Amino acid sequence: MNVHLSSELQGKIFEQMEASYPNEGGGFLLGEAQDGAITILDIIEVENTFAEAEQYHRYAMRPQDWMRLEDEADERGLSLVGYYHSHPDSPAIPSEYDREHALPNFVYVITAVMMAKASDMQVWRLRADRSAFDSGRLSIT
Amino acid sequence: MAKIRIPTPLRAYTEGASDIEVAGSTVGEALGNLVEQHPDLRLHLFQDDELRSFVNIFIGDEDIRFMQGLDTEIDAADSLRIIPSIAGGNQPRSHQSFRGKTIAGEEAPR
């Protein structure tokens, strides 16, 4: 899986993730999939609705946010291609919790934020049998 | 027939269709009919015959968990929607589940 992301959008994600620190932040990725490559064309920040005391290691969105943004993507001729979130003071590697809540055919962009500084970004996709994530190649353009 | 709206990532299992017509007089029957038509959806919607915890079913703006769950009655005019609850989080490295290979030898792209 190849994922293309502009340096401008990556900068926006890093800025948001650093502002959310020490809590997790996240949002949706809008874009298009073509010939096995996914191009992210917009990001939309979504509020972390997990219990505040747990937000340092948990992130959740309301189902209504999915509904609203999926409709918006359809109206704009884009697709909901994935979602991004941060791992404060933890590697940009999916957790078991991530896997249990993941969907196939969806890009998972994880940003490691170490000591309030975004330090790594990795892209992942759940296998069709749900057994594990596979890493993808992220191209910053 | 009632319709079910499929979330974008799962449309790969419905030949790209976003809305599927389903038979059944309850939400549970409608979902059963959906996975009969598109069997690859089952793994991502159900675990041991129960809806996965992150799978929400809405009728209009109403979550069936606040109605009668899978026993909620529907009619042919109803539009159902499958909405995943997006969630994530980190935990100690020893518990992490991945088999993919990270981008070895490259600096983290910025």
Side-chain angles (χ1 to χ4, degrees):
Chain A
M1 172 186 63
N2 292 312
V3 177
H4 301 281
L5 177 69
S6 70
S7 57
E8 181 189 356
L9 288 179
Q10 187 187 44
K12 285 185 178 178
I13 292 174
F14 282 173
E15 195 175 307
Q16 180 196 337
M17 302 296 92
E18 289 173 358
S20 299
Y21 184 90
N23 290 339
E24 295 199 6
F28 279 117
L29 305 167
L30 271 54
E32 54 192 21
Q34 203 166 29
D35 301 326
I38 292 150
T39 303
I40 297 166
L41 297 170
D42 201 3
I43 62 165
I44 299 180
E45 180 178 355
V46 179
E47 180 191 358
N48 186 354
T49 61
F50 215 95
E52 195 168 347
E54 302 293 327
Q55 287 186 10
Y56 72 95
H57 73 145
R58 288 287 180 264
Y59 175 84
M61 297 178 189
R62 294 182 196 91
Q64 287 82 356
D65 288 325
W66 176 289
M67 210 180 296
R68 177 172 55 86
L69 292 168
E70 188 172 59
D71 289 345
E72 181 182 325
D74 287 346
E75 283 166 15
R76 292 170 62 182
L78 299 174
S79 289
L80 211 52
V81 294
Y83 113 99
Y84 64 96
H85 73 289
S86 58
H87 282 181
D89 297 320
S90 192
I93 293 171
S95 64
E96 181 64 13
Y97 186 85
D98 288 327
R99 188 184 65 79
E100 288 170 359
H101 293 80
L103 289 161
N105 313 304
F106 216 43
V107 176
Y108 289 81
V109 171
I110 303 178
T111 300
V113 184
M114 302 295 185
M115 303 291 285
K117 184 75 181 164
S119 63
D120 187 21
M121 177 180 272
Q122 302 284 343
V123 296
W124 304 88
R125 186 156 63 178
L126 183 71
R127 290 183 184 175
D129 65 3
R130 307 191 62 83
S131 62
F133 279 94
D134 289 313
S135 64
R137 178 168 292 273
L138 177 63
S139 301
I140 303 299
T141 53
Chain B
M1 296 174 90
K3 284 193 303 187
I4 299 183
R5 187 131 212 243
I6 309 298
T8 309
L10 297 184
R11 293 175 194 170
Y13 305 124
T14 59
E15 292 79 49
S18 56
D19 294 283
I20 305 293
E21 291 194 335
V22 289
S25 59
T26 66
V27 172
E29 288 176 6
L31 289 172
N33 184 251
L34 175 69
V35 297
E36 273 179 27
Q37 294 183 53
H38 301 285
D40 290 340
L41 286 172
R42 176 180 289 280
L43 176 67
H44 305 291
L45 300 180
F46 292 97
Q47 185 171 29
D48 302 328
D49 293 331
E50 298 285 333
L51 272 182
R52 288 187 178 274
S53 61
F54 67 88
V55 174
N56 307 286
I57 309 295
F58 279 72
I59 302 174
D61 293 330
E62 297 290 324
D63 186 335
I64 63 159
R65 288 196 177 89
F66 302 107
M67 302 168 79
Q68 285 78 48
L70 294 176
D71 295 328
T72 304
E73 293 187 357
I74 58 172
D75 62 39
D78 280 325
S79 290
L80 284 65
R81 191 161 178 173
I82 300 169
I83 304 288
S85 282
I86 286 290
N90 67 68
Q91 57 195 27
R93 194 180 186 105
S94 59
H95 294 140
Q96 280 159 355
S97 167
F98 73 101
R99 291 182 192 155
K101 194 175 164 188
T102 52
I103 305 167
E106 293 182 5
E107 279 190 20
R110 288 197 66 113

